[in-house]
Amino acid sequence: MTKLLMPYITAGVRPDWTAYLTAFEDAGADLIEVGLPFSDPTVDGPTIQEASDAALARGATPASVLAELATISAGIPLVASTYANIALRPGFAGALHAAGVTGLIVPDLPLDELAGLSAAGIEVSLLASPATPDDRLAEIGRRSQGFVYAVSVMGTTGERDRLAPSAAALAARVKEVTDLPVLLGFGISTPEQAAEAAVVADGVIVGAAVMRRILDGAGPAEVGAFVASLRAALSGPIAVR
Amino acid sequence: MTKLLMPYITAGVRPDWTAYLTAFEDAGADLIEVGLPFSDPTVDGPTIQEASDAALARGATPASVLAELATISAGIPLVASTYANIALRPGFAGALHAAGVTGLIVPDLPLDELAGLSAAGIEVSLLASPATPDDRLAEIGRRSQGFVYAVSVMGTTGERDRLAPSAAALAARVKEVTDLPVLLGFGISTPEQAAEAAVVADGVIVGAAVMRRILDGAGPAEVGAFVASLRAALSGPIAVR
Amino acid sequence: GRFGGYGGRYVPESLIPACQAVADAFAQAWADPGFRGSLARLLSVYAGRPTPLTPALRLSAELGVTVLLKREDLTHTGSHKINNVMGQAMLARRMGRTRLIAETGAGMHGVATATAGALLGLPVKVFMGERDVERQAHNVFRMRLLGAEVVPVATGSRTLKDATSAAMRDWVADADEAYYCVGSVIGPHPYPTMVREFQRVIGDEARRQCATELPAAVPDYVVACVGGGSNAAGTFAGFVDTDAKLVGVEAEGGSGAANGEIGVLHGFQSLFLQDEHGQIREAHSIAAGLDYPGVGPEHAYLRDLGRARYVTVADAEAIAAAVRLARTEGIPPAIESAHALAWVIDAAGTSVLPSGSTVLVTLSGRGDKDLTTLMTEAEL
Amino acid sequence: GRFGGYGGRYVPESLIPACQAVADAFAQAWADPGFRGSLARLLSVYAGRPTPLTPALRLSAELGVTVLLKREDLTHTGSHKINNVMGQAMLARRMGRTRLIAETGAGMHGVATATAGALLGLPVKVFMGERDVERQAHNVFRMRLLGAEVVPVATGSRTLKDATSAAMRDWVADADEAYYCVGSVIGPHPYPTMVREFQRVIGDEARRQCATELPAAVPDYVVACVGGGSNAAGTFAGFVDTDAKLVGVEAEGGSGAANGEIGVLHGFQSLFLQDEHGQIREAHSIAAGLDYPGVGPEHAYLRDLGRARYVTVADAEAIAAAVRLARTEGIPPAIESAHALAWVIDAAGTSVLPSGSTVLVTLSGRGDKDLTTLMTEAEL
């Protein structure tokens, strides 16, 4: 099975943000995570906080970015991610549908509070963390949809020098409780780390490393090239098929 | 009986401070109050505080100013005034004698604490205030020496616009309990006030009004002239003989 | 973990075990007479409990209502925050945690946490919005003197909500060693319940004191200021089963309970000030401790039930009330507490608070930290 | 009015009746259970008494002696000064006086007097040396907020002794209407006795608390800082009839008891720092409240009797002690109180204060007013 690559972008971070989605697709992304900016991104590290603030400062709203999203036609699945305060608002699922989004990640909406979310027809992917005990992990495996988001490290989103040792152990544990793909995220910053992650997981999510480049001014082509390098690493000789 | 005039000077206030004593004598003073400067003149108002500070800043000490006093030969009695902390020091009376001082005023050494003072051969004049009750006033009359210092007003030393109404009442009360001269002090600033005071008392003590002039730079002749004006007022038509 | 539709545990999966560990440890500790006895002793011999109930005689005469002040300003560190922090710090030690994390607005919770950390020998890291660091320099000094590390938070509105976010981020990165000492009745379960329980000492004491002080044993009104709402929650806990009318007073610019809409932030569902897109609004209050856009979930529930009423007070009214209490009773209150007083002053003699009523007001803290603000704003 | 050879009433004749009126009124009030009951109630419901006795567990472990802290820092206004001021303000009201005068050094007595004035509706004028006004801006603000008039005194050393002189001058000019509220066990009779009696609540409470806390019921050492000496006098009063060793700790630069000579100032005879000519020396201490060249007459007497010992501590030791207490017990003490602690820290384990001893230390006030000094001097 081919390893899955899901790059992330904060919706609205730049006026031309949707152009990056096309670039990601062209670079070989399998899915794209589209972050809907929230005023208080408690799970995010400095990079994505900065991206959120930039998007909000530009006047981006969940409705406006979803409307922009509806104008492009992506050939790969789009997965929205946002915080519970946005996701629990009435009409949110409908807005996702209208924008062509098929999946959803809500990092501060754990298993326990999932019942409050109305998202019929949207695949809601749950997160698993190194601290999650076995019985709870099993339930996450049962109730997650689309894929399971394995949080490679205790902490917030953000680039890190090396893949955390906890990542491999967690990926293995998650794979035991689900048949869904297991994607590793949080701290995967380089093609090398992506390749390393792919040894144990079914794919990777790369957020801060992408956003750092965009915030530093890299255009769609340049960031697309970075995504392509991740794609190559995942498909290269290190990857265990 | 001639009304008595006792001008005051802070010893050591200027290098030539003893020259003022001669000028006072020449101007018709009957006695001179010589203030020995103390670091914390709690009974004095701003003018004499300033004079004390000036003397201390010049390095004046009780011993040094008394030594200077010994070098002049005054033809009228000299009355030292100072605070209890100076007056109660061993050897103080001897130093007064050596300097030719014959009287002493200690404003913070009331009747009750007089027993602690060793001043054999020195006339210790007590103060009476408008607040002093009758029985106590009688004892002050009995135990005072030389004269009784009637404090014309509740407050500190210092110039005032008018003679306090309490002054006349107090002078009359003191005269009833003693045969000593009753001198009014505190706030007598002008010849007019001196004359007014002399109606009810046997004389006046003028401190701040003298020191204000000295601090403002007036020399012995100029201040002597002021004392002479007080003298004239005391001997003039207003004064009741 | 729910108060009607509010509360819950909206945290990243990584923090679920940590929250559960706190919940389990608290449940166990709170059922343990040994723990409760140790805490009660510490509050007594160290923190100065019980605090007095002071009749505000001159103010009462002026207003025509009997005002009783519950004096949390007299506790060690100068605010009610110490009640909660002592409980949580002892819990952290019982759980074997090696350091404390806290967020702070006015700085009082930070000072209290730094104090507890020093007392128990636990290192403390306090997150504080940059704006609050500037306007509460006094408390920043105090925390540093106590040995705590103060981390200025430069994100967002640079106030309490951002400090809270930053604290949560620090916790998630070290959930095994660090204990997150939440400063109000907010956060994921069990914090809102636990903090209320640690603060109910205010209400329980006041209840007993009112029984001695008032002919009717219970006051007609019980009033407290509400930021996150811990001093109010603790006060109300002592009177929720009586006929006393409960009034929570928010800052006009931080009125989650009075003007908020349902939402989720910092791990709990409650009422928050937010725009039409679901973005949390910045709160704006002269009182750093009330400068929070939400309110503890139990307050949202009490509001829905109609058991408590939530009202707002403007900055200027709070300042005037602080000066007035200083000058009639010799008690300069924290600007937060002054909000509660300002409502009483404004309402006294109206149908909302009729003449002759008895009113318990919790003075959550002392005004020393606000002197500069008071002197500037009150133009004294 | 005498303590052995010390004390007395060295005031201008104009003040004799005023002093006598205070003496008579105090004697009558102190013998009146009604007055004492009212005062006790006010100290309880308003000022936060009794204050706790806090075992300083971590510091004790480090020092090898058992340190118990009497927590006057937890009273309303943050220092022991309130005990005395409440008594005197009630006395002033009983005497029909219409305004209060006070002198202040660190500002704590001024704040306490301003507080009592606000509470009882009496206008307050506080004299404060200009240097102290500068270094204690926090307390100047507090007094003004409370409605008091603060008069900076620019004469002499511009510190406490000059403020005291200025207050006496103001009193003599209005002795019928004004009540002079002396802040320490100094001044003319009856002040040293009266202030000690108002402050003995510290010692009396501590005595009872020690009886519960210590196997021996009474501590081996009773230690308090001494400026004028009111917190020490109040503390010692509770233990003077026991075997406890009494230790008064002065600032090195304000050591009237340890290094003074007999003299008279501010209405009383006692030990004062003075030069060979009898001029009073300026005191120099980082602690404004200890920056006084004399000591209360009863301390001079206790020294002569050998019943109490007076020692000195340098500024730097006091600062280090303040930081140490903040970091081991979470209690930042007033820099004045830190002097008492510094002696304990220095002496612990030596023959002067052997290991295993029990030591009561009065924390006369809280360190908030000294934060700037501490942060600067301790280089934190």
Side-chain angles (χ1 to χ4, degrees):
Chain A
M1 176 179 141
T2 306
K3 296 297 177 179
L4 298 172
L5 172 61
M6 178 162 80
Y8 165 96
I9 186 165
T10 300
V13 64
R14 285 171 50 148
D16 61 345
W17 67 276
T18 53
Y20 290 86
L21 274 69
T22 314
F24 292 173
E25 188 180 343
D26 293 346
D30 301 295
L31 315 85
I32 300 176
E33 180 182 355
V34 179
L36 309 184
F38 178 54
S39 50
D40 296 82
T42 52
V43 183
D44 286 300
T47 304
I48 295 182
Q49 286 177 52
E50 187 185 336
S52 279
D53 287 350
L56 293 172
R58 283 191 58 249
T61 67
S64 74
V65 296
L66 288 174
E68 288 183 83
L69 209 53
T71 64
I72 67 162
S73 58
I76 55 175
L78 300 180
V79 178
S81 72
T82 193
Y83 283 81
N85 197 53
I86 302 290
L88 294 178
R89 289 174 70 84
F92 182 68
L96 293 184
H97 279 298
V101 171
T102 55
L104 178 62
I105 301 166
V106 188
D108 63 344
L109 196 75
L111 207 52
D112 323 67
E113 306 295 353
L114 209 53
L117 182 69
S118 310
I122 304 284
E123 289 187 329
V124 179
S125 299
L126 301 184
L127 291 81
S129 106
T132 306
D134 287 341
D135 53 347
R136 187 172 170 90
L137 199 66
E139 194 177 349
I140 288 171
R142 275 195 299 279
R143 293 184 57 184
S144 195
Q145 299 172 318
F147 58 89
V148 176
Y149 190 142
V151 172
S152 69
V153 63
M154 297 294 284
T156 55
T157 61
E159 298 173 84
R160 288 174 175 82
D161 289 341
R162 4 177 335 120
L163 193 66
S166 51
L170 175 63
R173 287 177 61 215
V174 180
K175 288 180 73 68
E176 276 184 24
V177 297
T178 185
D179 293 330
L180 294 175
V182 177
L183 305 192
L184 266 177
F186 280 45
I188 297 170
S189 319
T190 63
E192 292 69 28
Q193 287 172 354
E196 196 182 340
V199 174
V200 292
D202 300 313
V204 298
I205 304 166
V206 181
V210 168
M211 292 313 299
R212 183 71 269 145
R213 286 169 171 79
I214 296 178
L215 289 169
D216 286 349
E222 190 179 337
V223 182
F226 172 61
V227 172
S229 73
L230 295 169
R231 173 77 273 163
L234 290 179
S235 313
I238 297 173
V240 176
R241 301 275 160 133
Chain B
M1 175 181 146
T2 307
K3 297 298 177 179
L4 298 172
L5 172 61
M6 179 164 79
Y8 165 96
I9 186 164
T10 300
V13 64
R14 286 171 49 146
D16 61 345
W17 68 275
T18 55
Y20 290 85
L21 276 67
T22 315
F24 293 172
E25 188 180 343
D26 294 346
D30 300 296
L31 315 86
I32 300 176
E33 180 182 354
V34 179
L36 310 183
F38 177 53
S39 50
D40 296 81
T42 52
V43 183
D44 287 300
T47 305
I48 296 184
Q49 287 178 49
E50 186 186 337
S52 279
D53 287 351
L56 292 172
R58 284 191 56 249
T61 67
S64 75
V65 295
L66 288 174
E68 288 181 83
L69 209 53
T71 64
I72 68 162
S73 58
I76 54 174
L78 300 179
V79 177
S81 71
T82 193
Y83 284 80
N85 197 54
I86 302 290
L88 294 177
R89 290 174 70 84
F92 181 68
L96 293 183
H97 280 299
V101 171
T102 57
L104 177 62
I105 301 165
V106 188
D108 63 342
L109 197 74
L111 209 52
D112 324 66
E113 307 295 353
L114 209 53
L117 181 68
S118 311
I122 303 285
E123 289 187 330
V124 179
S125 300
L126 301 185
L127 290 83
S129 105
T132 307
D134 287 341
D135 52 345
R136 186 172 171 92
L137 199 64
E139 194 176 349
I140 288 171
R142 276 194 299 278
R143 293 182 58 183
S144 194
Q145 300 171 319
F147 58 87
V148 175
Y149 190 142
V151 172
S152 69
V153 64
M154 298 293 286
T156 54
T157 62
E159 299 173 84
R160 287 175 176 82
D161 288 341
R162 3 178 336 119
L163 193 64
S166 52
L170 176 62
R173 289 177 60 213
V174 180
K175 287 180 74 69
E176 276 184 24
V177 299
T178 184
D179 294 329
L180 294 174
V182 176
L183 304 192
L184 266 177
F186 279 45
I188 297 171
S189 320
T190 64
E192 292 69 28
Q193 288 173 352
E196 196 184 340
V199 175
V200 292
D202 300 313
V204 298
I205 305 166
V206 181
V210 168
M211 292 313 299
R212 182 73 268 147
R213 287 169 170 77
I214 297 179
L215 289 168
D216 287 348
E222 188 179 337
V223 181
F226 172 61
V227 172
S229 73
L230 295 170
R231 173 76 274 163
L234 289 178
S235 313
I238 298 174
V240 176
R241 300 275 159 132
Chain C
R2 284 272 165 187
F3 305 90
Y6 307 103
R9 189 182 278 166
Y10 296 83
V11 295
E13 183 61 31
S14 300
L15 283 180
I16 292 285
C19 288
Q20 193 53 47
V22 172
D24 293 345
F26 172 67
Q28 207 179 49
W30 210 229
D32 174 1
F35 179 86
R36 295 184 75 148
S38 300
L39 177 57
R41 176 172 154 87
L42 207 56
L43 289 176
S44 166
V45 305
Y46 181 74
R49 303 212 71 90
T51 59
L53 185 71
T54 303
L57 299 177
R58 295 182 67 209
L59 185 66
S60 296
E62 288 178 11
L63 298 180
V65 298
T66 299
V67 178
L68 299 170
L69 305 172
K70 180 59 176 166
R71 300 292 302 282
E72 295 305 297
D73 60 312
L74 291 181
T75 56
H76 182 52
T77 74
S79 90
H80 72 288
K81 296 290 187 188
I82 195 77
N83 305 324
N84 166 44
V85 154
M86 282 295 149
Q88 289 198 51
M90 284 184 60
L91 189 68
R93 187 167 68 178
R94 187 181 165 109
M95 292 172 74
R97 300 298 167 89
T98 58
R99 68 183 184 95
L100 302 179
I101 298 169
E103 85 292 341
T104 198
M108 299 313 286
H109 175 58
V111 167
T113 308
T115 298
L119 180 68
L120 301 185
L122 296 169
V124 174
K125 195 189 275 191
V126 180
F127 294 87
M128 190 170 185
E130 262 187 359
R131 276 186 61 206
D132 293 335
V133 168
E134 284 157 23
R135 58 183 170 171
Q136 305 287 347
H138 182 76
N139 275 339
V140 174
F141 277 177
R142 289 170 81 192
M143 289 184 263
R144 290 186 178 148
L145 177 60
L146 290 158
E149 179 188 355
V150 179
V151 183
V153 176
T155 51
S157 59
R158 300 180 293 130
T159 61
L160 179 56
K161 79 181 174 83
D162 313 288
T164 305
S165 297
M168 292 186 75
R169 292 186 189 107
D170 194 55
W171 189 29
V172 72
D174 191 24
D176 286 342
E177 291 295 320
Y179 178 92
Y180 179 24
C181 187
V182 175
S184 192
V185 284
I186 62 169
H189 177 73
Y191 284 99
T193 303
M194 177 168 70
V195 175
R196 180 202 65 211
E197 288 303 295
F198 285 143
Q199 291 292 7
R200 72 176 301 137
V201 66
I202 303 172
D204 288 346
E205 281 179 12
R207 176 80 173 271
R208 285 194 298 274
Q209 291 165 321
C210 284
T212 307
E213 199 68 29
L214 294 175
V218 168
D220 299 321
Y221 293 81
V222 172
V223 186
C225 66
V226 174
S230 70
N231 90 81
T235 304
F236 291 177
F239 295 91
V240 77
D241 62 341
T242 71
D243 290 336
K245 296 179 183 65
L246 310 180
V247 182
V249 185
E250 298 187 298
E252 207 171 58
S255 52
N259 298 316
E261 287 166 43
I262 192 164
V264 171
L265 185 69
H266 296 150
F268 65 107
Q269 192 159 45
S270 189
L271 299 170
F272 293 92
L273 298 179
Q274 40 192 321
D275 68 15
E276 71 269 31
H277 307 296
Q279 307 297 348
I280 303 295
R281 282 206 185 128
E282 292 179 18
H284 289 290
S285 168
I286 200 164
L290 304 186
D291 216 346
Y292 187 72
V295 68
E298 190 168 9
H299 287 297
Y301 182 52
L302 290 172
R303 187 196 78 156
D304 284 2
L305 289 178
R307 180 65 193 92
R309 222 185 124 193
Y310 295 84
V311 296
T312 66
V313 153
D315 286 357
E317 296 174 88
I319 288 160
V323 174
R324 184 150 174 193
L325 192 71
R327 296 194 167 179
T328 54
E329 306 295 333
I331 305 174
I335 191 74
E336 287 78 10
S337 323
H339 283 72
L341 276 166
W343 180 80
V344 172
I345 289 170
D346 184 56
T350 72
S351 60
V352 185
L353 180 55
S355 296
S357 302
T358 54
V359 189
L360 170 72
V361 180
T362 298
L363 274 200
S364 57
R366 54 173 144 91
D368 298 62
K369 69 181 178 56
D370 298 309
L371 281 184
T372 310
T373 302
L374 285 172
M375 297 304 292
T376 310
E377 300 287 332
E379 293 171 7
L380 299 180
Chain D
R2 285 271 167 190
F3 306 90
Y6 307 103
R9 189 182 279 167
Y10 296 83
V11 295
E13 183 60 31
S14 300
L15 283 180
I16 291 286
C19 288
Q20 193 53 48
V22 172
D24 293 344
F26 172 67
Q28 209 179 45
W30 210 228
D32 174 359
F35 179 86
R36 295 183 75 148
S38 299
L39 177 57
R41 175 173 154 87
L42 207 55
L43 290 176
S44 166
V45 303
Y46 181 75
R49 302 213 72 88
T51 60
L53 185 72
T54 302
L57 299 178
R58 295 181 65 208
L59 185 65
S60 296
E62 288 177 13
L63 297 179
V65 299
T66 298
V67 179
L68 298 170
L69 305 171
K70 180 59 177 164
R71 299 291 303 282
E72 296 303 297
D73 61 312
L74 291 182
T75 57
H76 182 51
T77 74
S79 90
H80 72 288
K81 296 289 186 187
I82 195 76
N83 305 323
N84 166 43
V85 155
M86 283 294 149
Q88 289 199 52
M90 282 184 63
L91 189 68
R93 187 168 67 175
R94 186 180 166 110
M95 293 171 74
R97 301 297 169 87
T98 58
R99 68 183 186 95
L100 302 178
I101 297 169
E103 85 291 341
T104 198
M108 299 313 285
H109 175 58
V111 168
T113 307
T115 297
L119 180 66
L120 301 185
L122 296 170
V124 174
K125 196 189 271 190
V126 180
F127 294 87
M128 189 167 186
E130 261 188 358
R131 275 185 61 207
D132 292 335
V133 168
E134 285 157 22
R135 60 183 168 169
Q136 305 287 344
H138 182 75
N139 275 340
V140 174
F141 277 176
R142 287 170 82 192
M143 288 184 265
R144 290 186 175 150
L145 177 60
L146 290 159
E149 180 187 356
V150 179
V151 183
V153 177
T155 51
S157 60
R158 300 180 293 131
T159 60
L160 179 55
K161 80 182 175 80
D162 313 288
T164 306
S165 297
M168 293 186 75
R169 291 186 190 108
D170 193 55
W171 190 30
V172 73
D174 190 23
D176 287 341
E177 291 296 320
Y179 178 93
Y180 179 22
C181 187
V182 175
S184 191
V185 286
I186 61 170
H189 177 73
Y191 285 99
T193 303
M194 178 169 70
V195 176
R196 180 202 64 210
E197 287 303 295
F198 285 143
Q199 290 292 6
R200 71 176 303 136
V201 66
I202 304 173
D204 288 345
E205 280 179 13
R207 176 79 173 271
R208 285 194 298 275
Q209 291 166 322
C210 285
T212 308
E213 198 70 29
L214 294 175
V218 168
D220 299 322
Y221 293 81
V222 172
V223 186
C225 66
V226 174
S230 69
N231 91 80
T235 305
F236 292 176
F239 295 92
V240 76
D241 62 342
T242 72
D243 290 337
K245 296 178 183 68
L246 310 180
V247 182
V249 185
E250 297 187 300
E252 206 171 58
S255 53
N259 299 317
E261 287 167 41
I262 192 163
V264 172
L265 185 70
H266 296 149
F268 66 106
Q269 192 159 46
S270 188
L271 300 169
F272 294 92
L273 299 179
Q274 41 192 320
D275 69 14
E276 70 270 33
H277 307 296
Q279 308 296 349
I280 304 296
R281 282 206 183 128
E282 293 179 16
H284 290 290
S285 168
I286 199 165
L290 304 185
D291 214 347
Y292 187 71
V295 69
E298 190 168 10
H299 288 296
Y301 182 52
L302 291 172
R303 187 197 77 158
D304 284 3
L305 289 178
R307 179 64 192 91
R309 221 187 126 191
Y310 295 85
V311 297
T312 66
V313 153
D315 286 356
E317 295 173 90
I319 289 161
V323 175
R324 184 151 174 193
L325 193 70
R327 296 193 168 180
T328 55
E329 306 296 333
I331 305 173
I335 191 75
E336 288 79 11
S337 323
H339 284 72
L341 274 166
W343 180 80
V344 172
I345 288 170
D346 185 57
T350 72
S351 61
V352 185
L353 179 56
S355 296
S357 302
T358 54
V359 189
L360 171 71
V361 180
T362 298
L363 274 201
S364 57
R366 55 174 144 90
D368 298 61
K369 69 179 178 59
D370 299 309
L371 281 184
T372 311
T373 303
L374 285 171
M375 296 305 293
T376 310
E377 300 288 331
E379 293 171 9
L380 298 181

